[in-house]
Amino acid sequence: MSDNDLKLAMQNLANEAFGLADYFKIKLDYSEDSVANLETFCRLVHSLTKLKPEVYNEEVIQKTARYMGAYLGELIIRNLGGEWEIGKGKGISVRNGVFACSPIWIYHDKIKIKYRNL
């Protein structure tokens, strides 16, 4: 996958986060302040996985984590700079001159295992 294809794919996934968040009446806008809203969204989805595991199964968790992680990655890139890359280990990550993180895995773990703040 080319760098541009990866960038477009992640932007498309991030756009999906808006629709899902809107369904739950949560506002996302790529501002640094919207990280708190993303965390609220994550807590909600984590709770739903406990209340309705037959609906919020692993497939749904993975899809939702991709949306949330892509949104967080795009927020980082827009506000702090950086780019998407396919790395070793935890797969797709955001890297800039200061740090690298795998936001999709951050949200997968938060939703599935136990909610905890970033």
Side-chain angles (χ1 to χ4, degrees), residues 62-113:
Q62 287 181 12
K63 186 181 287 188
T64 305
R66 282 193 297 271
Y67 297 160
M68 289 180 175
Y71 174 82
L72 179 61
E74 285 296 310
L75 185 149
I76 291 168
I77 291 167
R78 290 170 188 233
N79 289 281
L80 302 174
E83 58 188 28
W84 290 104
E85 70 175 14
I86 298 176
K88 299 173 186 164
K90 292 262 182 177
I92 299 171
S93 61
V94 171
R95 179 174 300 278
N96 71 15
V98 179
F99 68 90
C101 71
S102 300
I104 293 171
W105 281 105
I106 289 170
Y107 279 102
H108 179 271
D109 290 349
K110 283 182 169 220
I111 293 168
K112 185 167 183 168
I113 299 169

Side-chain angles (χ1 to χ4, degrees), residues 24 30 34 44 47-51 66 74 111 115 117:
F24 289 106
Y30 288 123
S34 72
L44 175 65
S47 296
L48 290 170
T49 65
K50 302 302 176 201
L51 293 171
R66 282 193 297 271
E74 285 296 310
I111 293 168
Y115 179 78
N117 286 327

Side-chain angles (χ1 to χ4, degrees), residues 3-23:
D3 289 345
N4 194 52
D5 288 343
L6 178 59
K7 178 181 175 180
L8 290 173
M10 298 312 291
Q11 287 172 343
N12 287 336
L13 285 173
N15 288 337
E16 292 293 332
F18 284 94
L20 191 56
D22 190 52
Y23 176 80

